[in-house]
Amino acid sequence: SMNAAMREVLGRRPTALADVFGDTPLVPGQRGRLMAADGQIEVIPVIVPAADGRREIYAVPGLAEPPAASVAARAFEALPVALLHIGADGCLLAANLHAQRLLVHAPATGAPLSALVEGLGRPVNDWAMDTLAGRMPNRSEVVRARRKDAEQFLQVTLSRITDATGPSLLAVLHDATELKTMERQFVQSQKMQAIGELAGGVAHDFNNLLTSISGHCDLLMLRHDPGDPDYADLVQINQN
């Protein structure tokens, strides 16, 4: 399926991805050619996996032009996903409306990515710089948003893009708070299951010991008369 904007640009209804993009397979963040009705358009593909196994592909015109009136900026704002454009120095260049809503506040331009989110393992700035330098492939990471009012987790996908001004990053954000909550609940349930299995094993072994003690106590009671001085002690052991 295609939205109205894509149908207008293509001027036709293609049935295969290869009929839309001149370069396949598509690489997120790597510039490619869109086979438009009026000729080829240089675009940056943003690929977002959908819940049902499909892929949503957004064709963003080159982001080299920073003015808000540019075609790239309008497309950047219009995409229905949360996007951040990060410069070669690792600082924020732009955030579209969906990103601002997801982060609850408008991120300050020029702020490093670490001012918005914090990594759950390695520092966020190191991850951004490694992706900018091409030392690691595009992949998603779950990070924690820097918010004081509530705990929020974000799944962030960094894609390296290049243009005449050099490399930069396109970040796609998704709310992963519910996912992390379910993950914590699953880990907790696994811990409780492990504790239950341990307790069950201890109880089983302890019951075997008590059964042995009780059996031998019964044998001793059979060998002693009620009037025997040790009989009362044997009765107490048996009751315990």
Side-chain angles (χ1 to χ4, degrees):
S1 61
M2 296 181 294
N3 63 1
M6 182 63 81
R7 288 195 296 269
E8 182 179 351
V9 170
L10 296 178
R12 63 189 189 282
R13 288 180 175 271
T15 57
L17 203 60
D19 299 331
V20 178
F21 295 95
D23 305 302
T24 54
L26 292 178
V27 179
Q30 181 173 309
R31 287 178 174 270
R33 294 171 296 136
L34 182 71
M35 315 303 287
D38 299 330
Q40 297 182 4
I41 301 176
E42 192 177 65
V43 296
I44 299 169
V46 176
I47 302 177
V48 179
D52 55 2
R54 297 180 301 170
R55 291 181 298 166
E56 296 177 356
I57 301 175
Y58 303 95
V60 185
L63 291 173
E65 312 92 335
S70 67
V71 174
R74 291 199 301 271
F76 184 75
E77 281 294 336
L79 287 175
V81 289
L83 297 174
L84 301 177
H85 188 202
I86 302 167
D89 57 355
C91 294
L92 184 66
L93 297 177
N96 70 354
L97 184 60
H98 285 274
Q100 295 175 26
R101 289 174 178 170
L102 184 60
L103 296 171
V104 182
H105 65 282
T109 303
L113 185 60
S114 59
L116 302 175
V117 298
E118 57 181 336
L120 302 182
R122 60 183 308 201
V124 172
N125 286 343
D126 291 352
W127 173 38
M129 299 312 294
D130 285 345
T131 306
L132 272 167
R135 290 192 292 266
M136 62 184 303
N138 301 333
R139 66 178 187 180
S140 298
E141 295 280 356
V142 176
V143 296
R144 182 185 290 107
R146 292 189 181 277
R147 292 178 53 181
K148 296 181 179 180
D149 57 335
E151 187 177 50
Q152 182 185 35
F153 294 92
L154 301 172
Q155 183 180 3
V156 181
T157 304
L158 293 183
S159 299
R160 184 178 185 270
I161 59 179
T162 55
D163 50 38
T165 62
S168 59
L169 293 175
L170 193 64
V172 182
L173 312 181
H174 292 283
D175 192 349
T177 305
E178 184 177 355
L179 177 65
K180 289 298 292 184
T181 301
M182 292 175 61
E183 182 181 299
R184 282 201 300 264
Q185 291 174 347
F186 178 69
V187 171
Q188 183 65 19
S189 67
Q190 282 188 315
K191 290 180 180 179
M192 295 305 296
Q193 181 179 355
I195 292 173
E197 291 177 354
L198 176 62
V202 171
H204 179 74
D205 291 341
F206 190 58
N207 185 65
N208 290 340
L209 290 173
L210 291 179
T211 301
S212 176
I213 293 171
S214 177
H216 284 82
C217 186
D218 289 339
L219 292 175
L220 286 171
M221 290 178 68
L222 291 175
R223 297 173 188 169
H224 290 71
D225 295 327
D228 194 295
D230 295 330
Y231 192 83
D233 294 333
L234 292 175
V235 171
Q236 187 64 47
I237 293 173
N238 188 273
Q239 290 177 348
N240 289 337

